[in-house]
Amino acid sequence: MQQFCTIVNRENGGRTLKQFLVTGPGKEVWKKVGKFYLLFILFIIVYGFTIGNYLFSAEELTVPPVYQGGPADPATYMTEEQREQALAYSRTRDVVFFLGTPYQWVIYLIILGFGLSYRMQAYAERRGGNPLRSQYAYVAPTLKETAIYVFLFLLVVELLQFPLRYYVFQLQHDYGISTQSLSSWLGDVGKEWVVSLVMTIPVVWLLYKMMAWRPRRWWVWFWVLTIPLMVFLYYIQPLVIDPLFNKFQPLQDEALKRDILALAERADIPAGQVYEVDMSKKTNAMNAYVTGIGGSTRIVLWDTTLNKMDRDEVLFVMAHEMGHYVYRHVQWMMLGSIAVMLGMAYLVYRMLGRIVERWGGFWGIERPGSLASLPLILLLVSILSFALSPMENIVSRQAEHAADRYGMEMMRDADAATGAFQKLAVSGLVEPDPPVLVKVFRYTHPTLLERITFFQEFDD
């Protein structure tokens, strides 16, 4: 506390910590910090123009000459209008992705730079803080204090993110992807926010508890204690969270249900029921999945998939999804996430202390264990996640390819597999052969060109 007060007094014209928390950084601070923010804004502008020019350089949706005229060529399964729409829609979504990530960083920097974070912390302390804080410097925030801060923080983040989210919603309507009404979409946004709030409060409270208890080893203890939470989430999501957003019911087509359960039996999947979801109320896109672990396993089909694919195509899609279960991709994904989380927790610990020491006085963060540091922690996590995403996508694409191979080995029907993914491309306006940068940072699945080519050349 004494060190922080010294920083504040030095950088803010001798004002006390209380004066700093009330009035925010002074003009002297903004002269210094403003340079960083200005450079960051200029970087975002240059970055945005560069990305836009890179992505919109293509004039038509096509594939390499060797594949033209074949089943992977969109000209063979899309109309000219659909190809034009697919190119425009795909590239616009790519731009949104590449600008949306740094925009999230901007949001965190705004919350820090405009003093919102330490003001929210001060308000939370007044309403629900620990009375011992006046006597002891390193007292962890109470659960009530944490809940108040997280509520305010998530509310501000949602309000700042809302314009971009609404743009994506409207974009999907403009291209015929979304069929969801505005009221339904707003309802889903509200539900997502409430679920995020309920899940975030205990995690943040636990994080700062560990910071106060073990200032030098909090990252290890936090990682250990969050492992059960991650495992629990994998179990409850298909049973508790997913039904909050969509209506699940047993598959009505009894003949198709028997065929799918027969595939599940061959794959040794303990599922006695197949569910369909009324996604046609929200989208024209198609999907299917096998989710959960053990007793929570669910075989799920979107009704759009049932309406637009024929029986053999649906069975191939389900065989692919069952491949994920057979190869335990969900469990491996969970273990991978746990391992990555350990590394990220350590890196955040190493960077957080240094950044707070250098910039904490500017942002009103007295120490890493202050609630006001949460936007900074999330900023570091977001940057690290973006940097790691190419490697994570490589692993994910390998898993998807393994599931494709499993589906082909089970069904041995290249035409059904090809037809299914051609229809997926049409319904979702998917680009079959995206630019390299898009594939590296966005694609968790092989491209449609790669998948259809694999189906056609498959030889077990």
Side-chain angles (χ1 to χ4, degrees):
M1 177 70 75
Q2 182 177 0
Q3 181 183 9
F4 177 69
C5 290
T6 301
I7 294 174
V8 172
N9 289 332
R10 183 178 69 246
E11 300 292 351
N12 293 275
R15 290 182 296 162
T16 65
L17 175 61
K18 182 177 180 180
Q19 291 172 329
F20 174 81
L21 291 175
V22 171
T23 62
K27 293 182 179 179
E28 298 84 358
V29 173
W30 281 112
K31 288 180 181 178
K32 297 179 180 180
V33 183
K35 294 180 181 179
F36 166 77
Y37 278 81
L38 179 60
L39 289 175
F40 186 78
I41 292 172
L42 290 175
F43 165 76
I44 293 296
I45 293 174
V46 174
Y47 167 79
F49 276 109
T50 303
I51 287 293
N53 182 67
Y54 171 75
L55 293 177
F56 285 106
S57 59
E59 297 181 354
E60 59 179 343
L61 196 69
T62 186
V63 293
V66 67
Y67 300 109
Q68 291 179 3
D73 185 356
T76 63
Y77 60 87
M78 285 185 175
T79 65
E80 182 177 354
E81 180 182 7
Q82 288 172 335
R83 295 197 300 275
E84 292 175 354
Q85 289 182 332
L87 179 63
Y89 176 73
S90 297
R91 296 303 171 87
T92 303
R93 284 301 305 268
D94 294 337
V95 169
V96 169
F97 168 81
F98 282 107
L99 294 184
T101 300
Y103 178 64
Q104 186 179 55
W105 304 343
V106 169
I107 289 176
Y108 295 143
L109 288 172
I110 288 174
I111 293 175
L112 290 168
F114 283 88
L116 297 177
S117 187
Y118 66 73
R119 284 185 170 86
M120 289 187 289
Q121 174 185 298
Y123 178 80
E125 288 178 351
R126 290 196 303 270
R127 295 294 183 179
N130 193 324
L132 296 177
R133 187 170 286 109
S134 60
Q135 303 176 39
Y136 303 97
Y138 296 98
V139 176
T142 65
L143 182 59
K144 182 179 179 181
E145 180 183 347
T146 304
I148 293 172
Y149 178 90
V150 171
F151 176 88
L152 296 173
F153 173 74
L154 292 182
L155 182 61
V156 172
V157 170
E158 183 61 43
L159 291 174
L160 292 175
Q161 286 182 335
F162 186 82
L164 183 61
R165 295 188 65 176
Y166 179 76
Y167 173 77
V168 173
F169 167 75
Q170 191 59 51
L171 179 70
Q172 292 175 333
H173 266 275
D174 292 341
Y175 284 92
I177 304 296
S178 176
T179 60
Q180 189 174 19
S181 67
L182 178 60
S183 60
S184 173
W185 178 75
L186 289 173
D188 281 353
V189 170
K191 291 176 186 177
E192 289 174 8
W193 188 85
V194 172
V195 170
S196 178
L197 177 67
V198 171
M199 296 175 61
T200 303
I201 289 174
V203 174
V204 172
W205 179 73
L206 183 63
L207 169 64
Y208 285 98
K209 274 285 188 183
M210 295 300 101
M211 284 184 167
W213 182 52
R214 290 289 186 268
R216 295 183 180 275
R217 293 289 183 268
W218 63 262
W219 56 278
V220 177
W221 288 102
F222 176 72
W223 174 75
V224 170
L225 293 176
T226 53
I227 291 176
L229 294 177
M230 294 182 65
V231 175
F232 182 63
L233 180 61
Y234 272 87
Y235 275 96
I236 69 170
Q237 179 174 336
L239 300 178
V240 178
I241 298 178
D242 290 351
L244 294 175
F245 296 91
N246 300 291
K247 179 182 178 182
F248 288 74
Q249 65 176 357
L251 181 61
Q252 300 301 297
D253 187 333
E254 293 294 335
L256 181 60
K257 180 192 298 186
R258 286 194 296 271
D259 291 337
I260 293 174
L261 290 178
L263 282 178
E265 185 177 0
R266 287 173 56 191
D268 198 24
I269 295 178
Q273 185 60 271
V274 181
Y275 295 89
E276 61 177 278
V277 192
D278 59 342
M279 289 300 297
S280 56
K281 295 180 179 179
K282 298 181 178 181
T283 182
N284 283 316
M286 296 182 285
N287 196 13
Y289 54 91
V290 178
T291 186
I293 304 174
S296 68
T297 301
R298 302 186 106 186
I299 299 175
V300 180
L301 283 157
W302 288 9
D303 61 348
T304 50
T305 304
L306 296 170
N307 296 336
K308 297 180 181 182
M309 290 187 183
D310 62 34
R311 173 188 171 278
D312 291 339
E313 292 167 348
V314 170
L315 290 176
F316 173 79
V317 170
M318 294 312 305
H320 163 91
E321 298 300 335
M322 290 175 187
H324 288 306
Y325 184 93
V326 170
Y327 293 134
R328 301 185 183 278
H329 288 157
V330 173
Q331 288 92 329
W332 284 112
M333 184 187 305
M334 181 174 63
L335 292 175
S337 298
I338 291 172
V340 169
M341 186 177 175
L342 174 62
M344 291 183 65
Y346 174 73
L347 291 175
V348 169
Y349 160 74
R350 297 292 298 180
M351 293 186 290
L352 182 64
R354 296 181 181 181
I355 295 175
V356 169
E357 182 179 357
R358 176 66 180 87
W359 297 85
F362 303 150
W363 291 327
I365 304 174
E366 61 178 295
R367 62 180 185 276
S370 300
L371 272 174
S373 68
L374 183 61
L376 177 57
I377 293 174
L378 294 178
L379 173 64
L380 295 175
V381 170
S382 180
I383 293 173
L384 291 172
S385 298
F386 185 74
L388 289 173
S389 61
M391 183 61 66
E392 292 175 350
N393 289 344
I394 289 175
V395 175
S396 178
R397 288 196 295 269
Q398 291 176 342
E400 293 295 336
H401 179 68
D404 281 344
R405 178 175 291 278
Y406 182 87
M408 288 298 298
E409 291 173 348
M410 179 170 279
M411 298 301 300
R412 304 178 186 276
D413 192 341
D415 290 338
T418 299
F421 280 89
Q422 287 176 340
K423 290 178 179 178
L424 284 168
V426 173
S427 67
L429 295 179
V430 179
E431 185 176 10
D433 188 29
V436 174
L437 197 63
V438 174
K439 177 182 177 180
V440 169
F441 280 93
R442 288 206 64 192
Y443 270 57
T444 57
H445 293 59
T447 66
L448 280 173
L449 172 63
E450 294 170 336
R451 302 181 88 167
I452 292 176
T453 300
F454 168 73
F455 299 146
Q456 294 294 312
E457 298 176 353
F458 178 78
D459 182 7
D460 60 348

